[in-house]
Amino acid sequence: MKHLFKKGSDERKPVLLLLHGTGGNEEDLLALADMISPDSAVLSVRGNVSENGMPRFFRRLAEGVFDEEDLIFRTKELNDFIDESANKYRFDRNNVVAVGYSNGANIAGSLIFHYEDALKGAILHHPMVPRRGIKLPDLTNLPVFIGAGKNDPICPAAETEELENLLTNAGAKVHVKWENMGHQLSRAEVEEASEWFAKNFS
Ligand code: MLT
């Protein structure tokens, strides 16, 4: 997968896996990584799917309607890519925290829904429920931060609550930061994510 790797200055800090939103690329979230954990290594990936030239991490059939078969295939592809990258760049595969926005948050959520040890934690900015009707792995104590907008037209508040419940019921420790905003990423949300990160991963 097209990506960028930046070595960290402190090898004990989790590697940040950056996953952009629809139409973005691997450069988009670098500033977030600096705010969240400046000493961490960064693996920032570009989605392998193109929607009219816009990179995404999996196909969709319509706005908010995911192509489930492709989602499952792409989730495995990304999980394998993290495995390969850990070998290539010599980082600890068990110490990876995802930071995703929108479509990137959705594939991060899908990694959590499908693979028990894919991530050590996740910061999900404006995620949706990636899949319904499946049994989640044991997520005991997995720290998950969700940033959500009360007026998000792409991810309604009820869907955020549904995601929170699904993750909590599987054992994850979920923290939701609500804002009176829409789908956009706010500075306050990133600041709270970085405080949350310091508490959970220092
Ligand atoms: C998705 O397709 O993943 C969501 O609708 C978010 C987005 O617009 O990318």
Side-chain angles (χ1 to χ4, degrees):
M1 299 182 78
K2 198 160 176 5
H3 68 281
L4 165 168
F5 180 78
K6 211 178 93 196
K7 215 168 149 28
S9 57
D10 182 346
E11 286 197 351
R12 290 161 308 173
K13 289 277 161 72
V15 175
L16 298 182
L17 170 72
L18 304 184
L19 303 163
H20 61 78
T22 298
N25 64 41
E26 65 281 11
E27 309 270 340
D28 282 13
L29 303 186
L30 292 174
L32 291 196
D34 268 343
M35 284 177 74
I36 292 165
S37 182
D39 297 329
S40 283
V42 169
L43 177 66
S44 187
V45 186
R46 185 184 297 193
N48 253 353
V49 164
S50 166
E51 184 182 272
N52 305 317
M54 294 187 298
R56 283 179 55 86
F57 287 96
F58 55 89
R59 288 199 188 91
R60 61 180 163 185
L61 306 172
E63 171 81 55
V65 185
F66 300 161
D67 177 334
E68 209 161 87
E69 198 180 317
D70 191 58
L71 174 63
I72 294 165
F73 175 81
R74 298 292 170 192
T75 302
K76 179 172 188 313
E77 181 183 55
L78 179 58
N79 198 40
D80 291 347
F81 177 73
I82 306 168
D83 293 350
E84 285 158 25
S85 299
N87 276 331
K88 178 170 170 195
Y89 297 117
R90 305 188 167 280
F91 62 77
D92 178 359
R93 174 66 185 88
N94 297 316
N95 199 19
V96 176
V97 171
V99 180
Y101 169 63
S102 192
N103 183 244
N106 293 338
I107 191 103
S110 182
L111 279 173
I112 296 173
F113 269 44
H114 291 101
Y115 298 100
E116 186 166 333
D117 297 318
L119 299 173
K120 195 175 186 191
I123 296 177
L124 308 177
H125 295 290
H126 302 263
M128 296 166 69
V129 173
R131 276 190 80 191
R132 293 187 169 82
I134 59 164
K135 186 173 165 7
L136 269 57
D138 179 1
L139 303 177
T140 301
N141 289 331
L142 182 80
V144 179
F145 175 97
I146 296 178
K150 287 197 172 133
N151 308 305
D152 188 333
I154 295 174
C155 181
E159 184 160 347
T160 303
E161 286 160 5
E162 185 186 349
L163 180 63
E164 180 186 8
N165 287 334
L166 288 168
L167 292 169
T168 305
N169 290 339
K173 282 191 301 177
V174 185
H175 175 89
V176 184
K177 160 74 170 164
W178 286 103
E179 286 219 88
N180 282 321
M181 307 251 288
H183 196 62
Q184 70 273 36
L185 186 54
S186 76
R187 191 173 178 93
E189 189 180 321
V190 178
E191 279 167 0
E192 191 155 316
S194 95
E195 283 164 25
W196 171 92
F197 184 93
K199 270 193 217 129
N200 283 279
F201 298 104
S202 57

